[in-house]
Amino acid sequence: MATKTQPTGDSVDGFLAALADDTKRADSERLIEMMRAATGEPPILWGSSIIGFGNRHYRYASGHEGNTALIGFSPRAAAVTLYLSLNFEDHSDALARLGKHRLGRGCLYVKRLSDVDESVLKSLIGSSVAAARAMSAPD
């Protein structure tokens, strides 16, 4: 998530209700359950379309710093984008068992949750939250 993306205070329920695709809405509700369980944090709308959980401060060696969610996702038209704090190479075994997905830089794309093994996804979410908390810069 880019630094310019900040919590908006807008309603997550309102955002979900506006989703035209029933499967994306149901998948989003399930992801909210999983990410809330992994973080202990409520869902918050970041920007216009990202549902994030928690907050962490980061600082790169370059000096660039900002705030972002511990973990989040966005139900986009082509796929649900999960924003994870993982080195995907370190999780190749889990990704091989996950099911149908694509990877981007820091993103996992899933067309629908029925395409993946939910227990593997939960494990990846838990690993991502732990990694995000470990890399948070001290305030």
Side-chain angles (χ1 to χ4, degrees), residues 1-74:
M1 283 175 270
T3 330
K4 63 184 177 182
T5 304
Q6 298 294 323
T8 64
D10 291 344
S11 165
V12 171
D13 289 339
F15 172 72
L16 292 177
L19 293 176
D21 185 322
D22 291 340
T23 300
K24 279 219 189 331
R25 187 177 320 105
D27 286 354
S28 294
E29 290 168 355
R30 184 67 189 124
L31 284 168
I32 287 172
E33 290 174 19
M34 286 190 262
M35 291 183 178
R36 185 192 308 248
T39 63
E41 301 282 348
I44 295 173
L45 200 60
W46 288 65
S48 62
S49 63
I50 296 172
I51 299 172
F53 298 79
N55 192 347
R56 73 175 178 94
H57 186 76
Y58 63 87
R59 186 179 304 119
Y60 297 127
S62 66
H64 175 79
E65 62 182 296
N67 293 304
T68 190
L70 285 171
I71 194 167
F73 73 95
S74 181

Side-chain angles (χ1 to χ4, degrees), residues 90-135:
D90 294 342
H91 297 273
S92 58
D93 289 346
L95 290 167
R97 294 188 322 271
L98 180 61
K100 192 173 176 184
H101 69 279
R102 290 183 303 112
L103 297 176
R105 187 167 177 239
C107 298
L108 174 71
Y109 302 97
V110 176
K111 191 150 182 82
R112 63 188 63 84
L113 288 185
S114 61
D115 290 341
V116 300
D117 182 322
E118 197 170 294
S119 65
V120 174
L121 183 59
K122 282 182 191 178
S123 175
L124 289 167
I125 288 170
S127 294
S128 179
V129 170
R133 285 187 169 137
M135 67 176 81

